[in-house]
Structure formats: structure tokens, C-alpha cells
Amino acid sequence: DILLATAACSYAIRLVYLAVPAMMRVPEDRGFLYASAVFMVALVYMVVVLTATVILWEYVATPVFID
């Protein structure tokens, strides 16, 4: 599963780096910077969602495990 997820993420990142310059109609050197910014925003968003999930589970919706 980890290898499949790694391959999927790598392919998705490659597609972002190829598609952003074409969609924005900018040169490839600037497109690389824009694609890197898109990737950074996605990483920050993922960290925020994971942090919110941890905080939600810790303080609001703590799971109760019953034997």
C-alpha cells in the first residue's frame, strides 16, 4: 500500500508540474515556480487538516473504546 501511495503521489506531483504552465500559459521556468507554490499550498493544507483532526479528536470527539 505504501509503495502504491508513493507512486500515486509522485505521478500526481509530476502532472501538476506539467499542467500548471500549460493551464496558466506561462513559460516553463515560471510555471515551475507556480507549480511549486501550488504544491506548497497543498502540503500546508494537508498539515492544517491533520492538525484539526487531532485537535477535534482530543478535545471534542474523543473516541470511547469499550471492551
Side-chain angles (χ1 to χ4, degrees):
D1 291 340
I2 293 174
L3 292 176
L4 184 62
T6 302
C9 287
S10 299
Y11 188 64
I13 292 168
R14 181 178 184 271
L15 288 178
V16 167
Y17 277 106
L18 291 176
V20 166
M23 284 178 28
M24 296 180 71
R25 295 187 183 120
V26 294
E28 279 198 38
D29 56 339
R30 291 192 63 135
F32 180 79
L33 293 173
Y34 291 141
S36 297
V38 167
F39 183 64
M40 182 187 65
V41 167
L43 286 176
V44 169
Y45 176 74
M46 188 173 64
V47 168
V48 167
V49 167
L50 290 174
T51 304
T53 302
V54 168
I55 291 171
L56 181 71
W57 274 25
E58 184 67 29
Y59 295 110
V60 178
T62 306
V64 178
F65 299 105
I66 301 172
D67 288 333

